[in-house]
Amino acid sequence: GIYTVSDLLLYAPSRYEDRSVLRRAYQIRESGVLNTFAEVKSTSYFGPVNKRILKITLEECYIQKDENLYRPNTINLLCFNRNFMERYVHTGNRYYLFGTANRKTPSSVDLASFELHPALSAEDYGYGKILPIYPLNSLLSAKSVRNCVSKVYDEFQKDLTSPLDEDTVQKAELMDIKQAISALHYASS
């Protein structure tokens, strides 16, 4: 468990997600990771009346349309057990989108597992970064752990001291404790 500042700073991610590179829908062949920016075009429901499933339809946004690369793709978010999202996702709004996509037609992909965040600040959601993914339980969210780690690291990094003496660190060519903790939580490659 996490009981101390040290526990939190040593809480290692189980993996990392590379959100530093845009992955557009047209790049998905059969299935793959999508990391893009899109605008909501519509919301609808499908399935039996007593088990309706929300479908959010988006279109990717491009800052500059390169005629050789621009292939408009429809992105369908299949919101299983997430019909509440209709209250927060509105036509015309733009979002950062990350998830696993499956190609359905030459011009559309479907996602059932995804993260969708308002396009207010890319920094807030890890877009353009390599994001640590921490092992979680039902009481913690990935974002809350990342926020806590960031606040604690900022506040306590000046107080970090290595349990190893300087001679051992140099002989073994190890990073100092501040660099090691930073590399653990803020991967650059």
Side-chain angles (χ1 to χ4, degrees):
I2 300 172
Y3 301 101
T4 67
V5 167
S6 179
D7 292 342
L8 182 62
L9 291 177
L10 296 174
Y11 192 61
S14 56
R15 63 188 173 86
Y16 299 86
E17 285 180 351
D18 186 356
R19 296 186 183 186
S20 64
V21 178
L22 283 177
R23 290 186 182 90
R24 301 289 195 178
Y26 76 84
Q27 295 170 307
I28 306 292
R29 299 291 171 243
E30 290 179 21
S31 68
V33 173
L34 188 68
N35 185 39
T36 193
F37 179 61
E39 181 176 319
V40 175
K41 294 300 180 182
S42 66
T43 58
S44 60
Y45 284 89
F46 68 96
V49 175
N50 61 340
K51 293 184 181 183
R52 308 286 286 166
I53 298 165
L54 176 64
K55 178 170 111 175
I56 302 170
T57 302
L58 303 99
E59 185 176 291
E60 283 186 292
C61 300
Y62 293 85
I63 294 170
Q64 291 182 326
K65 291 184 182 178
D66 179 333
E67 295 306 319
N68 296 324
L69 294 177
Y70 183 69
R71 298 179 193 121
N73 271 253
T74 299
I75 300 169
N76 297 305
L77 303 181
L78 310 177
C79 305
F80 297 99
N81 298 316
R82 295 199 263 181
N83 288 352
F84 66 87
M85 290 183 69
E86 186 177 29
R87 294 189 301 266
Y88 306 105
V89 175
H90 303 288
T91 302
N93 288 357
R94 293 181 174 191
Y95 294 87
Y96 293 103
L97 174 61
F98 181 87
T100 302
N102 294 302
R103 172 82 41 208
K104 288 301 177 192
T105 70
S107 62
S108 72
V109 294
D110 288 356
L111 288 86
S113 176
F114 60 88
E115 285 185 36
L116 186 69
H117 302 286
L120 304 173
S121 169
E123 187 73 20
D124 292 342
Y125 305 111
Y127 285 86
K129 293 181 174 182
I130 297 174
L131 203 61
I133 305 300
Y134 298 94
L136 303 172
N137 65 32
S138 62
L139 301 175
L140 292 173
S141 73
K143 185 177 179 182
S144 65
V145 172
R146 285 191 296 271
N147 287 342
C148 286
V149 166
S150 179
K151 287 177 185 175
V152 167
Y153 181 77
D154 289 347
E155 186 170 337
F156 290 98
Q157 68 175 319
K158 64 187 176 304
D159 301 324
L160 293 173
T161 56
S162 177
L164 303 174
D165 62 78
E166 185 67 32
D167 191 43
T168 303
V169 171
Q170 287 180 351
K171 281 182 185 175
E173 297 180 7
L174 300 173
M175 293 181 192
D176 75 20
I177 191 73
K178 292 174 190 167
Q179 289 174 313
I181 298 293
S182 178
L184 178 65
H185 298 290
Y186 308 108
S188 60
S189 62

